[in-house]
Amino acid sequence: MVLMKISRENRTKRKLMPEQQNIEYKQSWHDDYLKWVCGFANAQGGIIFIGKDDNGNVVDVADYKKLMDDIPNKIRNAMGITAEVNLHEEQGKYFIEIVTHPYSVPISLRGRYYYRSGSTKQELTGTALNEFLLKKS
């Protein structure tokens, strides 16, 4: 397990980043967030922070040791891809950073395709799905 301590300068930079196209903050982990990972993989990539509120403040992740094992395995098993999962500590509180890189091929989660558009996760269906699959092939 890799633990990174965040310097005061980097802490300030990270706090100033609101949720946006490539950044998502979640206070705790839920398997439903695999949809966000899938959406990032199909778009331009992105980062999910687990243990931060919507303003980017660290709220702590109590079960970080278990999540550091579970999250990479769930991503690999559900989508067949890898993501960087990093543990960070800031002022005695822990948070997890999940870095998803963009993929050149379509990535599905249990047969469904998701895409990150703006600050939302969209499930692709119908014509949008057909166009997406044609562009990625």
Side-chain angles (χ1 to χ4, degrees), residues 38 45 66 133 135:
C38 183
K66 182 177 183 326
L133 293 173
K135 285 180 186 175

Short mmCIF file of all heavy atoms in Angstrom, two decimals, residues 38 45 66 133 135:
data_model
loop_
_atom_site.label_atom_id
_atom_site.label_comp_id
_atom_site.label_asym_id
_atom_site.label_seq_id
_atom_site.Cartn_x
_atom_site.Cartn_y
_atom_site.Cartn_z
N CYS A 38 -16.16 3.62 -15.44
CA CYS A 38 -16.46 3.24 -16.82
C CYS A 38 -16.64 4.49 -17.69
O CYS A 38 -16.09 4.58 -18.79
CB CYS A 38 -17.71 2.36 -16.85
SG CYS A 38 -18.16 1.75 -18.48
N GLY A 45 -10.87 10.25 -19.51
CA GLY A 45 -10.23 9.84 -18.26
C GLY A 45 -10.64 10.78 -17.14
O GLY A 45 -11.33 11.77 -17.38
N LYS A 66 -9.15 -1.94 3.47
CA LYS A 66 -9.96 -2.89 2.71
C LYS A 66 -10.25 -2.36 1.31
O LYS A 66 -10.15 -3.09 0.32
CB LYS A 66 -11.27 -3.17 3.45
CG LYS A 66 -12.18 -4.18 2.78
CD LYS A 66 -13.42 -4.42 3.64
CE LYS A 66 -14.37 -5.46 3.11
NZ LYS A 66 -14.53 -5.59 1.72
N LEU A 133 -19.94 3.50 -30.30
CA LEU A 133 -19.28 2.25 -30.67
C LEU A 133 -18.60 2.35 -32.04
O LEU A 133 -17.49 1.84 -32.22
CB LEU A 133 -20.27 1.09 -30.65
CG LEU A 133 -20.81 0.72 -29.26
CD1 LEU A 133 -21.91 -0.32 -29.36
CD2 LEU A 133 -19.70 0.24 -28.33
N LYS A 135 -17.37 5.12 -33.40
CA LYS A 135 -16.20 5.99 -33.25
C LYS A 135 -15.03 5.26 -32.59
O LYS A 135 -13.88 5.50 -32.90
CB LYS A 135 -16.54 7.23 -32.43
CG LYS A 135 -17.35 8.25 -33.18
CD LYS A 135 -17.66 9.45 -32.31
CE LYS A 135 -18.60 10.41 -33.01
NZ LYS A 135 -19.00 11.52 -32.14
#
